[in-house]
Amino acid sequence: MNRLWLLPVMALAILAAPAQAQFQLPNIGGGKSGDALSGALGGLLGQAKDMAAGQSADDEAKSGDAIAAPVFGAAPPWRAPAVQTYVNLVGRNLARQVERKDVTWRFAVLDTPSINAMAFPGGIVVVTRGLYQMLGSEDELAAVLAHEIAHVNRR
């Protein structure tokens, strides 16, 4: 199936939210129904931006952990080890290319049907199950992760 029509849609999604996966992606069905994640994200992400500027790498990582905790409470990691491993491999390969070498990168897929991706200070990058399941290629996944990695890299 030709997915070229997705390119303009993904470009808009990158500007407003985030993007999406080439090869055969590990795909595991199931997951939670409903989405408890959407409500508090705006405020948390605003806090993340304010906190990251001017912090040491250690302080930035602590801030990121504190900000990400309620997100992981609302939408825990998806219990799909093959997917989690895959996203971490792609993400860490991309993260090796960035300027900041003081970041310990961590990647996860959250168990929520919402379509989103986000980055937190200190190198926490998450993609939702809903977004992951929309991806059609590794390239799309790399685009999403690279976008989020750039947020952390640029603080």
Side-chain angles (χ1 to χ4, degrees), residues 49-110:
K49 182 179 176 185
D50 294 340
M51 293 175 103
Q55 289 186 328
S56 71
D58 288 341
D59 288 342
E60 183 183 348
K62 288 176 188 170
S63 295
D65 289 345
I67 296 167
V71 173
F72 280 95
W78 190 17
R79 293 183 190 265
V83 171
Q84 299 291 355
T85 298
Y86 178 69
V87 169
N88 268 276
L89 288 172
V90 173
R92 289 177 188 203
N93 280 321
L94 291 167
R96 284 199 311 246
Q97 310 306 314
V98 301
E99 299 151 359
R100 292 188 62 196
K101 303 300 181 195
D102 61 341
V103 176
T104 302
W105 295 94
R106 296 171 282 170
F107 300 87
V109 179
L110 299 181

Side-chain angles (χ1 to χ4, degrees), residues 27-44:
N27 187 8
I28 299 172
K32 293 182 178 181
S33 60
D35 182 10
L37 185 60
S38 300
L41 279 181
L44 289 172

